[in-house]
Amino acid sequence: MPDAGPDRATARKAIALLTGAAGFTEHRPPPSPLPPDGPLGWAGYDAARERASARTGEEESVLYGTGVVGDRACVLLSFEFGFLGGSLGRQTGDRLAAAYELALARRLPLVALVATGGSRMQEGMIALTQLQRVAAASVRLRAAGLPQIAVVRDPTTGGGWATVGAGADVVLALPGAQVGFAGSRVRPPDADPYAYSADGQFEAGQVDAVVPADELTAAVTHWLRALGPHEDLPAAPVPRALSVAGAPVPRALSAGGTESAAGAGTGAGAGTGAGAAKGSGAGTGSGAGTPSAADSGPAVPLPETGREAVARARDPRRPRAEAYLADYFAVRLPLHGDRSGSTDPGLLCGFGLRGDGQPVAYVAQCGTPTRPAGYRAAARTIRLADRLGVPVLTLVDTPGAANDAGAERAGAGAAIADTFAAVAAARVPVTTLVIGEGGSGGALALAAPDNTHVTVDSYFSVIAPELAAAILKRPPSETGATADQLRLRPQDLVDLGFARSIVG
């Protein structure tokens, strides 16, 4: 097995990077000795283990225990790559299973610091079946509503990546780490090394963020605060409406026709909240979710016609999802990719912390046709939030689902169906704000039944008015009249019972 390189942190140093002065309490499973030279009687295996132990000071390739990261208690497990390449044998499996059971017994999140070359050849099938043990332990932790975070170090390959790493709820990677199922010695000779790197896996939607080591403690702390475990969190507040060119928006018009001050105020919200780490987004938002007065300044009138409503929603000056999210959250933690090899830059999703510390999961369309990867990422986010008891906010803004041939080949119909199912099955409250275009089923898939709100510069329609006119064989000059017939204005949506309020 390869030795640990000089630049690779040991298992204990990796833990200390996160826990700092808070310290770490190591646990050990009950003794379970191996037969001489292991289960296969592999000549020289005992001697190799003794050399690895003398070199690293460790008894096995994994150590685990309890610690505090930031202000959050958790169970940590860390791989020692210097011990036979961080490989998984039966005693490694004992430690991994015990770490998951410790997290389950104490109802703590699990943070795994992974650096492994995969299963240990000297133990044959006994080593390989440890992956099944890890998978079963992970499933039990999921069923208990406890989060799992993986930090993949260099290298993370083989079965360790395919279970402890890629099987976590959130996957963070250190820059320059080798990450992939196939290790460097078993890949095709012409394989592109970028595909097996942290950046390559991020680009493919398999890693949520690439985080420099000096930012890792803050990132993991934010994620632990967001993921919990939590008890009885309230629904996500409806965001305040932002306005074109800083003009204030009108007071909310409820379904009963009465005014409400909920979520009212003017909006700046042009910040991004992006952090220095790729995909981390662990910055501060401009508004941190604090609404201002409802009646500051003159009201923006509601659109008089359907055509005007569509024009407002398509106005390039209108605030988009990025501005709303920056105004709503103090900290954002993006989830990246669909875990099937694709990403959709037109859909933002993840978890965030509001100014008062409340965690909320978010899915936000950015005004572009949403691609299948976007819907799969949305469903992933909603299901994770539901399992962890975190409320969900969706921001709807799309002319519709992507309808090109590539989208069809990528499974547009199935991806949209899965998103509808994720929203329908959610036990946590889902709050929706339509901030722009609500284009047919591609938008409706992200709308919460009975808890959808709309802004003054939005519309929602069964079909775009241009397409409706074309289907009805009407000339383009009748597109406006068709828009009126569709009753797609914000006030129409309230009257029809689709929207609960016009947020202002």
Coordinates of all heavy atoms in Angstrom, one line a residue, residues 122-210:
Q122 N -5.8 -7.7 1.0 CA -5.3 -8.8 1.8 C -6.4 -9.5 2.6 O -6.2 -10.6 3.2 CB -4.2 -8.3 2.8 CG -2.9 -7.8 2.1 CD -3.0 -6.3 1.9 OE1 -4.0 -5.8 1.6 NE2 -1.8 -5.7 1.9
E123 N -7.6 -8.9 2.6 CA -8.7 -9.5 3.3 C -9.8 -9.9 2.4 O -10.9 -10.4 2.8 CB -9.3 -8.6 4.4 CG -8.3 -8.3 5.5 CD -9.0 -7.6 6.7 OE1 -10.2 -7.7 6.9 OE2 -8.2 -6.9 7.5
G124 N -9.6 -9.8 1.1 CA -10.5 -10.3 0.1 C -12.0 -9.9 0.2 O -12.3 -8.7 0.5
M125 N -12.9 -10.8 0.1 CA -14.3 -10.5 0.1 C -14.7 -10.1 1.5 O -15.7 -9.3 1.6 CB -15.1 -11.8 -0.3 CG -15.1 -12.0 -1.8 SD -15.7 -10.6 -2.7 CE -17.4 -10.5 -2.1
I126 N -14.0 -10.5 2.5 CA -14.4 -10.0 3.9 C -14.2 -8.5 3.9 O -15.0 -7.8 4.5 CB -13.5 -10.7 5.0 CG1 -13.7 -12.2 4.9 CG2 -13.8 -10.1 6.3 CD1 -15.1 -12.6 5.2
A127 N -13.2 -8.0 3.3 CA -13.0 -6.5 3.2 C -14.1 -5.9 2.4 O -14.6 -4.8 2.8 CB -11.6 -6.2 2.6
L128 N -14.4 -6.5 1.2 CA -15.3 -5.8 0.3 C -16.7 -5.7 1.0 O -17.4 -4.7 0.8 CB -15.4 -6.6 -1.0 CG -16.3 -6.0 -2.1 CD1 -15.6 -4.7 -2.6 CD2 -16.4 -7.0 -3.3
T129 N -17.1 -6.7 1.7 CA -18.4 -6.7 2.4 C -18.6 -5.7 3.5 O -19.7 -5.4 3.9 CB -18.8 -8.1 2.9 OG1 -17.8 -8.5 3.9 CG2 -18.9 -9.1 1.8
Q130 N -17.5 -5.0 3.9 CA -17.6 -3.9 4.8 C -18.4 -2.8 4.2 O -19.0 -2.0 5.0 CB -16.2 -3.5 5.3 CG -15.3 -4.6 5.9 CD -16.1 -5.4 7.0 OE1 -16.6 -4.8 7.9 NE2 -16.1 -6.7 6.8
L131 N -18.4 -2.7 2.9 CA -19.1 -1.6 2.3 C -20.6 -1.8 2.6 O -21.4 -0.8 2.7 CB -18.9 -1.6 0.8 CG -17.4 -1.5 0.3 CD1 -17.3 -1.4 -1.2 CD2 -16.8 -0.2 1.0
Q132 N -21.1 -3.0 2.6 CA -22.5 -3.3 2.9 C -22.8 -2.9 4.4 O -23.8 -2.4 4.7 CB -22.8 -4.8 2.7 CG -22.7 -5.2 1.2 CD -22.9 -6.7 1.0 OE1 -22.3 -7.4 1.8 NE2 -23.6 -7.1 0.0
R133 N -21.8 -3.1 5.3 CA -22.0 -2.7 6.7 C -22.1 -1.2 6.8 O -23.0 -0.7 7.5 CB -20.8 -3.2 7.5 CG -20.7 -4.7 7.7 CD -19.5 -5.0 8.6 NE -19.8 -4.6 10.0 CZ -18.8 -4.6 11.0 NH1 -17.6 -5.0 10.7 NH2 -19.1 -4.2 12.2
V134 N -21.3 -0.5 6.1 CA -21.3 0.9 6.1 C -22.6 1.5 5.6 O -23.2 2.4 6.1 CB -20.1 1.5 5.4 CG1 -20.2 3.1 5.2 CG2 -18.8 1.2 6.0
A135 N -23.0 0.9 4.4 CA -24.3 1.3 3.8 C -25.5 1.1 4.8 O -26.3 2.0 4.9 CB -24.5 0.6 2.5
A136 N -25.5 0.0 5.4 CA -26.6 -0.3 6.4 C -26.6 0.7 7.5 O -27.6 1.2 8.0 CB -26.5 -1.7 6.8
A137 N -25.4 1.0 8.1 CA -25.3 1.9 9.2 C -25.7 3.3 8.8 O -26.4 4.0 9.5 CB -23.9 1.9 9.7
S138 N -25.4 3.7 7.5 CA -25.7 5.0 7.0 C -27.2 5.1 6.9 O -27.9 6.2 7.2 CB -25.0 5.3 5.7 OG -25.5 6.5 5.1
V139 N -27.9 4.1 6.4 CA -29.3 4.0 6.2 C -30.0 4.2 7.6 O -31.0 4.9 7.7 CB -29.8 2.8 5.5 CG1 -31.3 2.6 5.6 CG2 -29.4 2.8 4.1
R140 N -29.5 3.6 8.6 CA -30.1 3.7 9.9 C -30.0 5.2 10.4 O -31.0 5.7 11.1 CB -29.5 2.7 10.9 CG -29.8 1.3 10.7 CD -29.4 0.4 11.9 NE -27.9 0.3 11.9 CZ -27.2 -0.6 11.3 NH1 -27.8 -1.5 10.5 NH2 -25.9 -0.7 11.4
L141 N -28.9 5.8 10.2 CA -28.7 7.2 10.6 C -29.7 8.1 9.8 O -30.3 9.0 10.4 CB -27.3 7.6 10.3 CG -26.7 8.6 11.3 CD1 -26.8 8.2 12.7 CD2 -25.2 8.9 10.9
R142 N -29.8 7.8 8.5 CA -30.8 8.6 7.7 C -32.2 8.5 8.3 O -33.0 9.4 8.4 CB -30.8 8.1 6.3 CG -29.5 8.6 5.5 CD -29.5 7.9 4.1 NE -28.4 8.4 3.3 CZ -28.4 9.3 2.4 NH1 -29.6 10.0 2.2 NH2 -27.4 9.7 1.7
A143 N -32.6 7.2 8.6 CA -34.0 7.0 9.0 C -34.2 7.7 10.3 O -35.4 8.0 10.6 CB -34.2 5.5 9.2
A144 N -33.2 8.0 11.1 CA -33.3 8.7 12.4 C -33.3 10.2 12.2 O -33.4 10.9 13.2 CB -32.2 8.2 13.3
G145 N -33.2 10.7 11.0 CA -33.2 12.1 10.8 C -32.0 12.8 11.2 O -32.0 14.0 11.5
L146 N -30.8 12.1 11.1 CA -29.5 12.7 11.5 C -28.7 12.9 10.3 O -28.6 12.0 9.4 CB -28.8 11.8 12.5 CG -29.6 11.6 13.8 CD1 -28.9 10.4 14.6 CD2 -29.6 12.9 14.6
P147 N -28.1 14.1 10.2 CA -27.3 14.4 9.0 C -25.9 13.8 8.9 O -25.3 13.5 10.0 CB -27.2 16.0 9.1 CG -27.3 16.3 10.5 CD -28.2 15.2 11.1
Q148 N -25.4 13.6 7.7 CA -24.1 13.1 7.5 C -23.4 14.1 6.5 O -23.9 14.4 5.4 CB -24.2 11.7 6.8 CG -24.9 10.7 7.7 CD -25.2 9.4 7.0 OE1 -24.3 8.8 6.3 NE2 -26.4 8.9 7.0
I149 N -22.2 14.5 6.9 CA -21.4 15.4 6.1 C -20.0 14.7 5.9 O -19.4 14.1 6.8 CB -21.1 16.7 6.9 CG1 -22.4 17.4 7.2 CG2 -20.1 17.6 6.1 CD1 -22.2 18.6 8.1
A150 N -19.6 14.7 4.6 CA -18.3 14.1 4.3 C -17.4 15.2 3.8 O -17.8 16.1 3.0 CB -18.5 13.0 3.2
V151 N -16.2 15.2 4.3 CA -15.1 16.0 3.7 C -14.1 15.1 3.1 O -13.5 14.2 3.7 CB -14.4 16.8 4.9 CG1 -13.2 17.6 4.3 CG2 -15.4 17.7 5.6
V152 N -14.0 15.1 1.7 CA -13.1 14.2 1.0 C -11.8 14.9 0.8 O -11.6 15.9 0.3 CB -13.8 13.8 -0.3 CG1 -15.0 12.9 0.0 CG2 -14.2 14.9 -1.2
R153 N -10.8 14.1 1.3 CA -9.4 14.5 1.3 C -8.7 13.8 0.2 O -9.3 13.1 -0.6 CB -8.7 14.3 2.6 CG -9.4 15.0 3.8 CD -9.4 14.2 5.1 NE -8.0 13.8 5.5 CZ -7.7 12.7 6.2 NH1 -8.8 12.0 6.7 NH2 -6.5 12.4 6.5
D154 N -7.4 14.0 0.1 CA -6.6 13.4 -1.0 C -5.9 12.1 -0.5 O -5.1 12.2 0.5 CB -5.6 14.3 -1.5 CG -4.7 13.8 -2.7 OD1 -5.4 13.2 -3.6 OD2 -3.5 13.9 -2.6
P155 N -6.1 10.9 -1.2 CA -7.1 10.7 -2.2 C -8.4 10.1 -1.5 O -8.3 9.5 -0.4 CB -6.4 9.7 -3.1 CG -5.6 8.8 -2.1 CD -5.2 9.8 -1.0
T156 N -9.5 10.1 -2.2 CA -10.7 9.4 -1.8 C -11.2 8.7 -3.0 O -11.8 9.2 -4.0 CB -11.8 10.4 -1.3 OG1 -11.3 11.1 -0.2 CG2 -13.1 9.7 -1.0
T157 N -11.0 7.4 -3.0 CA -11.3 6.5 -4.2 C -12.0 5.2 -3.7 O -12.0 4.9 -2.5 CB -10.1 6.2 -5.0 OG1 -9.1 5.5 -4.2 CG2 -9.4 7.5 -5.5
G158 N -12.4 4.4 -4.7 CA -12.9 3.1 -4.4 C -14.2 3.1 -3.6 O -15.0 4.0 -3.6
G159 N -14.3 2.0 -2.8 CA -15.5 1.8 -2.0 C -15.7 2.8 -0.9 O -16.9 3.1 -0.5
G160 N -14.6 3.4 -0.4 CA -14.8 4.5 0.6 C -15.5 5.7 0.0 O -16.3 6.3 0.7
W161 N -15.1 6.1 -1.2 CA -15.8 7.2 -1.9 C -17.3 6.8 -2.1 O -18.2 7.6 -1.9 CB -15.1 7.5 -3.2 CG -15.9 8.4 -4.1 CD1 -16.3 8.0 -5.4 CD2 -16.5 9.7 -3.9 NE1 -17.0 9.0 -6.0 CE2 -17.1 10.1 -5.1 CE3 -16.5 10.5 -2.9 CZ2 -17.8 11.3 -5.3 CZ3 -17.1 11.8 -3.0 CH2 -17.8 12.1 -4.2
A162 N -17.5 5.5 -2.5 CA -18.9 5.1 -2.9 C -19.8 4.8 -1.8 O -21.0 4.5 -2.0 CB -18.8 3.9 -3.8
T163 N -19.3 5.0 -0.5 CA -20.1 4.8 0.7 C -20.0 6.0 1.6 O -20.9 6.8 1.6 CB -19.7 3.5 1.4 OG1 -18.3 3.5 1.6 CG2 -20.1 2.2 0.6
V164 N -19.0 6.0 2.3 CA -18.8 7.1 3.3 C -18.8 8.5 2.7 O -19.4 9.5 3.2 CB -17.6 6.9 4.2 CG1 -17.5 8.0 5.3 CG2 -17.5 5.5 4.8
G165 N -18.1 8.6 1.5 CA -18.0 9.9 0.8 C -19.3 10.3 0.1 O -20.0 11.1 0.5
A166 N -19.5 9.7 -1.1 CA -20.6 10.1 -1.9 C -21.9 9.7 -1.3 O -23.0 10.3 -1.7 CB -20.5 9.3 -3.3
G167 N -22.0 8.9 -0.3 CA -23.2 8.5 0.3 C -23.7 9.5 1.4 O -24.8 9.4 1.9
A168 N -22.9 10.6 1.7 CA -23.2 11.5 2.7 C -24.3 12.5 2.1 O -24.5 12.6 0.9 CB -22.0 12.3 3.1
D169 N -25.0 13.2 3.0 CA -26.0 14.2 2.6 C -25.3 15.4 1.9 O -25.8 16.0 1.0 CB -26.7 14.7 3.8 CG -27.5 13.6 4.5 OD1 -28.1 12.8 3.8 OD2 -27.5 13.5 5.7
V170 N -24.2 15.8 2.4 CA -23.4 17.0 1.9 C -22.0 16.5 1.7 O -21.4 15.9 2.6 CB -23.4 18.2 2.9 CG1 -22.6 19.3 2.4 CG2 -24.9 18.6 3.1
V171 N -21.4 16.8 0.6 CA -20.0 16.4 0.3 C -19.2 17.7 0.0 O -19.5 18.4 -1.0 CB -20.0 15.5 -1.0 CG1 -18.5 15.1 -1.2 CG2 -20.8 14.2 -0.8
L172 N -18.2 17.9 0.9 CA -17.2 18.9 0.7 C -15.9 18.3 0.3 O -15.6 17.2 0.8 CB -17.1 19.8 2.0 CG -18.4 20.2 2.6 CD1 -18.1 21.0 3.9 CD2 -19.2 21.1 1.7
A173 N -15.1 19.0 -0.5 CA -13.8 18.5 -1.0 C -12.7 19.5 -0.7 O -13.0 20.7 -0.9 CB -13.9 18.1 -2.4
L174 N -11.6 19.0 -0.4 CA -10.4 19.9 -0.3 C -9.8 20.1 -1.6 O -9.8 19.2 -2.5 CB -9.4 19.3 0.7 CG -9.8 19.2 2.1 CD1 -8.7 18.5 3.0 CD2 -10.0 20.6 2.7
P175 N -9.3 21.3 -1.9 CA -8.7 21.6 -3.3 C -7.6 20.6 -3.6 O -6.8 20.2 -2.7 CB -8.2 23.0 -3.1 CG -9.0 23.6 -2.0 CD -9.3 22.5 -1.0
G176 N -7.6 20.2 -4.8 CA -6.5 19.3 -5.3 C -6.7 17.8 -4.9 O -5.8 17.0 -5.3
A177 N -7.7 17.5 -4.2 CA -7.9 16.1 -3.8 C -8.3 15.3 -5.0 O -9.0 15.7 -5.9 CB -9.0 16.0 -2.8
Q178 N -7.7 14.1 -5.1 CA -8.1 13.0 -6.0 C -9.4 12.4 -5.5 O -9.4 11.9 -4.4 CB -7.0 12.0 -6.2 CG -7.3 10.9 -7.1 CD -6.2 9.8 -7.1 OE1 -6.4 8.7 -7.6 NE2 -5.1 10.1 -6.5
V179 N -10.5 12.4 -6.3 CA -11.8 12.0 -5.9 C -12.4 11.2 -7.0 O -12.6 11.7 -8.1 CB -12.7 13.1 -5.5 CG1 -14.1 12.5 -5.0 CG2 -12.1 14.0 -4.4
G180 N -12.7 9.9 -6.8 CA -13.4 9.1 -7.8 C -13.5 7.7 -7.4 O -12.7 7.2 -6.5
F181 N -14.3 6.9 -8.0 CA -14.5 5.5 -7.7 C -13.3 4.7 -8.2 O -12.8 3.9 -7.5 CB -15.7 5.0 -8.4 CG -16.0 3.5 -8.0 CD1 -16.3 3.2 -6.7 CD2 -15.9 2.5 -9.0 CE1 -16.5 1.8 -6.4 CE2 -16.2 1.2 -8.6 CZ -16.5 0.9 -7.3
A182 N -12.7 5.1 -9.3 CA -11.5 4.4 -9.9 C -10.3 5.1 -9.3 O -10.1 6.3 -9.5 CB -11.5 4.4 -11.4
G183 N -9.4 4.3 -8.7 CA -8.1 4.8 -8.2 C -7.2 5.0 -9.4 O -7.4 4.6 -10.5
S184 N -6.0 5.6 -9.1 CA -5.1 6.0 -10.2 C -4.5 4.8 -10.9 O -4.1 4.9 -12.0 CB -4.0 6.9 -9.6 OG -3.3 6.2 -8.5
R185 N -4.4 3.7 -10.2 CA -3.8 2.5 -10.9 C -4.8 1.6 -11.6 O -4.4 0.6 -12.2 CB -3.1 1.7 -9.8 CG -1.9 2.4 -9.1 CD -1.2 1.6 -8.1 NE -0.1 2.4 -7.4 CZ 0.7 1.9 -6.5 NH1 0.5 0.6 -6.1 NH2 1.6 2.6 -5.9
V186 N -6.0 1.9 -11.5 CA -7.0 1.0 -12.2 C -7.9 1.7 -13.2 O -8.9 1.2 -13.7 CB -8.0 0.4 -11.1 CG1 -7.2 -0.5 -10.2 CG2 -8.7 1.4 -10.3
R187 N -7.5 2.9 -13.6 CA -8.2 3.7 -14.6 C -7.7 3.3 -16.0 O -6.5 2.9 -16.2 CB -8.0 5.2 -14.4 CG -8.5 5.7 -13.1 CD -8.1 7.1 -12.9 NE -8.3 7.5 -11.5 CZ -7.7 8.5 -10.9 NH1 -6.8 9.2 -11.6 NH2 -7.9 8.8 -9.7
P188 N -8.5 3.6 -17.1 CA -8.0 3.5 -18.4 C -6.7 4.4 -18.6 O -6.7 5.5 -18.0 CB -9.1 3.9 -19.3 CG -10.4 3.7 -18.4 CD -9.9 4.0 -17.0
P189 N -5.8 4.0 -19.4 CA -4.6 4.8 -19.5 C -4.8 6.2 -20.1 O -4.0 7.1 -19.9 CB -3.7 3.9 -20.4 CG -4.6 3.0 -21.1 CD -5.7 2.7 -20.1
D190 N -5.9 6.3 -20.9 CA -6.1 7.6 -21.5 C -7.2 8.4 -20.7 O -7.7 9.4 -21.3 CB -6.6 7.4 -23.0 CG -7.8 6.6 -23.1 OD1 -8.2 5.9 -22.1 OD2 -8.4 6.5 -24.2
A191 N -7.5 8.0 -19.5 CA -8.5 8.7 -18.8 C -8.1 10.1 -18.4 O -6.9 10.4 -18.1 CB -8.8 8.0 -17.5
D192 N -9.0 11.1 -18.5 CA -8.8 12.5 -18.2 C -8.7 12.6 -16.7 O -9.6 12.4 -15.9 CB -9.9 13.3 -18.7 CG -9.8 14.8 -18.4 OD1 -8.7 15.2 -17.9 OD2 -10.7 15.6 -18.6
P193 N -7.5 13.0 -16.2 CA -7.4 13.1 -14.7 C -8.3 14.1 -14.1 O -8.6 14.0 -12.9 CB -5.9 13.5 -14.5 CG -5.4 14.0 -15.8 CD -6.3 13.3 -16.9
Y194 N -8.7 15.1 -14.8 CA -9.6 16.2 -14.3 C -10.9 15.5 -13.8 O -11.5 16.0 -12.8 CB -9.9 17.2 -15.3 CG -10.7 18.4 -14.8 CD1 -10.2 19.3 -13.9 CD2 -12.1 18.5 -15.2 CE1 -11.0 20.4 -13.5 CE2 -12.9 19.5 -14.7 CZ -12.3 20.5 -13.9 OH -13.1 21.5 -13.4
A195 N -11.4 14.5 -14.5 CA -12.6 13.9 -14.1 C -12.5 13.2 -12.7 O -13.5 13.0 -12.0 CB -13.0 12.8 -15.1
Y196 N -11.3 12.9 -12.2 CA -11.1 12.3 -10.9 C -10.6 13.3 -9.9 O -10.0 12.9 -8.9 CB -10.1 11.2 -11.1 CG -10.5 10.1 -12.2 CD1 -10.1 10.3 -13.5 CD2 -11.2 9.0 -11.8 CE1 -10.4 9.4 -14.5 CE2 -11.5 8.1 -12.8 CZ -11.1 8.3 -14.1 OH -11.5 7.4 -15.1
S197 N -10.8 14.5 -10.1 CA -10.3 15.6 -9.2 C -11.5 16.2 -8.5 O -12.7 16.1 -8.9 CB -9.6 16.7 -10.0 OG -10.5 17.4 -10.8
A198 N -11.2 16.9 -7.4 CA -12.3 17.6 -6.6 C -13.0 18.6 -7.5 O -14.2 18.7 -7.5 CB -11.7 18.3 -5.4
D199 N -12.2 19.4 -8.3 CA -12.9 20.3 -9.2 C -13.7 19.7 -10.3 O -14.8 20.1 -10.6 CB -11.8 21.2 -9.9 CG -11.3 22.3 -8.9 OD1 -11.9 22.6 -7.9 OD2 -10.2 22.8 -9.2
G200 N -13.2 18.5 -10.8 CA -14.0 17.8 -11.8 C -15.2 17.2 -11.3 O -16.3 17.3 -11.9
Q201 N -15.2 16.7 -10.1 CA -16.4 16.2 -9.5 C -17.4 17.3 -9.1 O -18.6 17.1 -9.2 CB -16.0 15.4 -8.2 CG -15.2 14.1 -8.5 CD -16.0 13.0 -9.1 OE1 -17.1 13.1 -9.5 NE2 -15.4 11.8 -9.2
F202 N -16.9 18.4 -8.7 CA -17.8 19.6 -8.5 C -18.5 20.0 -9.8 O -19.7 20.2 -9.8 CB -17.0 20.8 -8.0 CG -17.8 22.0 -7.8 CD1 -18.6 22.2 -6.7 CD2 -17.7 23.0 -8.8 CE1 -19.4 23.4 -6.6 CE2 -18.5 24.2 -8.6 CZ -19.3 24.4 -7.5
E203 N -17.7 20.1 -10.9 CA -18.3 20.4 -12.2 C -19.4 19.4 -12.6 O -20.3 19.8 -13.2 CB -17.2 20.5 -13.2 CG -17.6 21.0 -14.6 CD -16.4 21.2 -15.5 OE1 -15.5 21.9 -15.2 OE2 -16.5 20.6 -16.6
A204 N -19.2 18.2 -12.2 CA -20.1 17.1 -12.6 C -21.3 17.0 -11.6 O -22.1 16.1 -11.8 CB -19.4 15.8 -12.7
G205 N -21.3 17.8 -10.6 CA -22.4 17.8 -9.7 C -22.4 16.7 -8.7 O -23.4 16.4 -8.1
Q206 N -21.2 16.2 -8.4 CA -21.0 15.1 -7.4 C -20.5 15.6 -6.1 O -20.5 14.9 -5.1 CB -20.0 14.0 -8.0 CG -20.4 13.5 -9.3 CD -21.6 12.6 -9.4 OE1 -22.2 12.4 -8.4 NE2 -21.9 12.1 -10.5
V207 N -20.0 16.8 -6.1 CA -19.4 17.5 -4.9 C -20.2 18.8 -4.7 O -20.4 19.5 -5.7 CB -17.9 17.7 -5.0 CG1 -17.4 18.7 -4.0 CG2 -17.2 16.3 -4.9
D208 N -20.5 19.1 -3.5 CA -21.3 20.4 -3.2 C -20.4 21.6 -3.2 O -20.9 22.7 -3.5 CB -22.1 20.2 -1.9 CG -23.2 19.2 -2.1 OD1 -24.0 19.3 -3.0 OD2 -23.2 18.2 -1.3
A209 N -19.2 21.5 -2.7 CA -18.3 22.6 -2.6 C -16.9 22.2 -2.5 O -16.6 21.1 -1.9 CB -18.7 23.5 -1.4
V210 N -16.0 22.9 -3.1 CA -14.5 22.7 -2.9 C -14.1 23.8 -1.9 O -14.2 25.0 -2.2 CB -13.8 22.8 -4.2 CG1 -12.3 22.6 -4.0 CG2 -14.3 21.7 -5.2

